[in-house]
């Protein structure tokens, strides 16, 4: 089982964020840990605080007439009718549980008038969690692909079913270093070329070992110069020395339980966002301040 560090409680959250201003103060500290800087020019040389407008500053470095900005400028919280405290609550709800929370549940708990508001917020937050600059995986790396979504009754056999059984399921491929970092991607289709491209993107050339199951997708990795070994799940072989896929299996089950159990399936269009959310949560599982890190991304 993948272990997750305990996050702040609802009581602690409410104590930390009694008002919108408390949230803005927190955001200032998160955005600018070394003091407020102009979001346009990055400088703090000619910055003044606009006392008449709380949480607003003016920069005279990048504009002679003064560029005015608030703490919300350039964040997903800008130009929405949703209060920062509501945004914070939704981020807290989404990311502090293991399996996420559906927009319908957010609408219910938050008392939003429309489902679309909850859906809009969760998608905006997820989009900020996509990590374009990860470091390539090293050490021993496990790789596996899976299918999520769809209404296939035979869910347990999904890995083996190629053809009609996976017609309305969407493939996701993942690679995880035994040291802990995970990279996962939603794919349009799965074939050797796509798997190779993913491995080149996610895995360092200096990797010690790539462990997979017997899938043909990975069968020719050794020939391509990748140190590779596989276990044969079809024949009941799950562990052979340090060759196994138990770490990536842990992520796969979190993803599948989350997509099915929490989100009751997702559309193909938004699957990459959900995968990003699960990847982010997994990679932050020992981070005691998941909420704060997420706010820092937004
Ligand atoms: Zn400026």
């Amino acid at each position: 089982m993948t272990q997750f560090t305990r996050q702040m409680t609802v009581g602690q959250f409410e104590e930390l964020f009694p008002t919108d201003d408390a949230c803005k103060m927190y955001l200032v500290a998160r955005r600018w840990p070394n003091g407020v800087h102009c979001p346009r020019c990055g400088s703090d040389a000619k910055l003044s605080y606009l006392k008449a407008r709380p949480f607003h500053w003016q920069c005279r470095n990048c504009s002679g007439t003064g560029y005015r900005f608030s703490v919300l400028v350039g964040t997903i919280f800008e130009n929405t009718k949703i209060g920062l405290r509501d945004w914070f609550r939704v981020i807290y709800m989404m990311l502090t549980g293991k399996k996420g929370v559906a927009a319908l549940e957010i609408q219910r708990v938050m008392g939003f008038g429309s489902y679309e508001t909850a859906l809009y917020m969760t998608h905006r937050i997820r989009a900020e969690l996509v990590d374009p600059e990860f470091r390539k995986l090293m050490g021993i790396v496990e790789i596996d692909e899976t299918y999520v979504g769809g209404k296939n009754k035979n869910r347990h056999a999904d890995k083996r079913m190629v053809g009609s059984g996976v017609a309305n399921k969407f493939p996701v491929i993942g690679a995880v270093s035994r040291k802990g970092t995970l990279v996962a991607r939603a794919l349009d289709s799965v074939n050797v070329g796509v798997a190779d491209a993913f491995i080149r993107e996610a895995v360092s050339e200096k990797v010690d070992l790539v462990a997979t199951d017997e899938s043909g997708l990975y069968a020719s990795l050794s020939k391509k110069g990748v140190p590779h070994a596989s276990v044969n799940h079809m024949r009941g072989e799950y562990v052979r020395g340090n060759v196994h896929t138990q770490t990536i299996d842990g992520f796969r089950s979190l993803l599948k339980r989350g997509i099915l159990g929490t989100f009751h399936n997702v559309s193909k269009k938004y699957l990459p966002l959900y995968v990003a959310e699960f990847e982010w949560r997994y990679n932050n599982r020992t981070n005691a301040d998941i909420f704060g890190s997420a706010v820092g991304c937004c």
Side-chain angles (χ1 to χ4, degrees):
M1 278 298 290
T2 312
Q3 295 294 317
F4 284 74
T5 299
R6 260 190 77 184
Q7 299 298 315
M8 84 173 131
T9 63
V10 172
Q12 288 165 331
F13 179 91
E14 295 298 327
E15 204 170 307
L16 199 54
F17 304 114
T19 60
D20 256 22
D21 278 1
C23 297
K24 285 182 181 169
M25 237 138 40
Y26 182 87
L27 187 60
V28 171
R30 270 281 159 188
R31 279 196 84 174
W32 298 297
N34 303 312
V36 178
H37 285 65
C38 171
R40 192 190 265 174
C41 69
S43 169
D44 65 346
K46 294 181 179 173
L47 214 58
S48 51
Y49 184 64
L50 300 171
K51 287 193 185 104
R53 297 187 70 194
F55 301 101
H56 281 71
W57 293 261
Q58 181 166 268
C59 175
R60 289 195 180 279
N61 185 57
C62 57
S63 162
T65 54
Y67 165 62
R68 294 180 168 205
F69 62 91
S70 84
V71 65
L72 303 183
V73 164
T75 70
I76 64 168
F77 316 123
E78 189 185 9
N79 300 327
T80 67
K81 289 177 184 160
I82 301 149
L84 194 54
R85 196 156 171 252
D86 281 351
W87 275 108
F88 276 23
R89 279 191 163 135
V90 169
I91 292 172
Y92 176 82
M93 284 176 73
M94 276 176 74
L95 295 173
T96 53
K98 261 192 216 182
K99 288 186 279 182
V101 55
L104 199 62
E105 177 72 358
I106 287 172
Q107 184 200 355
R108 191 184 68 77
V109 172
M110 296 293 297
F112 290 147
S114 80
Y115 172 70
E116 282 66 32
T117 301
L119 196 66
Y120 165 80
M121 292 174 80
T122 55
H123 282 345
R124 287 302 305 266
I125 293 161
R126 277 182 197 109
E128 297 306 311
L129 301 179
V130 177
D131 178 11
E133 291 176 34
F134 60 91
R135 292 177 62 186
K136 290 191 170 194
L137 305 177
M138 307 265 285
I140 298 178
V141 173
E142 302 173 18
I143 299 175
D144 198 15
E145 80 291 352
T146 189
Y147 292 85
V148 297
K151 292 193 168 69
N152 192 341
K153 283 174 189 159
N154 198 358
R155 278 169 188 149
H156 295 292
D158 61 357
K159 275 267 300 167
R160 305 297 150 218
M161 294 172 65
V162 177
S164 63
V166 294
N168 49 7
K169 284 172 166 285
F170 314 125
V172 174
I173 191 164
V176 65
S177 159
R178 295 253 172 94
K179 290 173 191 155
T181 309
L182 173 120
V183 180
R185 293 281 181 275
L187 303 173
D188 288 329
S189 62
V190 184
N191 55 53
V192 172
V194 168
D196 278 354
F198 170 76
I199 292 165
R200 272 198 305 277
E201 183 201 353
V203 180
S204 166
E205 286 173 9
K206 293 176 194 156
V207 68
D208 293 328
L209 178 70
V210 169
T212 69
D213 63 15
E214 71 282 8
S215 164
L217 288 175
Y218 317 110
S220 56
L221 281 179
S222 295
K223 281 182 201 155
K224 294 164 191 158
V226 178
H228 172 237
S230 60
V231 281
N232 195 322
H233 290 172
M234 292 286 261
R235 292 194 196 139
E237 181 193 45
Y238 287 88
V239 183
R240 194 179 66 252
N242 61 7
V243 185
H244 64 77
T245 58
Q246 288 167 348
T247 320
I248 195 78
D249 290 347
F251 174 74
R252 185 180 66 193
S253 85
L254 275 172
L255 178 73
K256 293 179 80 87
R257 276 187 288 140
I259 298 286
L260 279 174
T262 306
F263 299 107
H264 309 293
N265 290 335
V266 302
S267 69
K268 182 168 187 173
K269 183 179 167 194
Y270 293 120
L271 183 62
L273 289 180
Y274 288 93
V275 170
E277 179 188 328
F278 277 86
E279 175 191 278
W280 193 88
R281 191 186 288 107
Y282 185 92
N283 285 336
N284 281 276
R285 68 198 177 284
T286 60
N287 175 354
D289 184 19
I290 279 189
F291 171 81
S293 300
V295 167
C297 294
C298 288

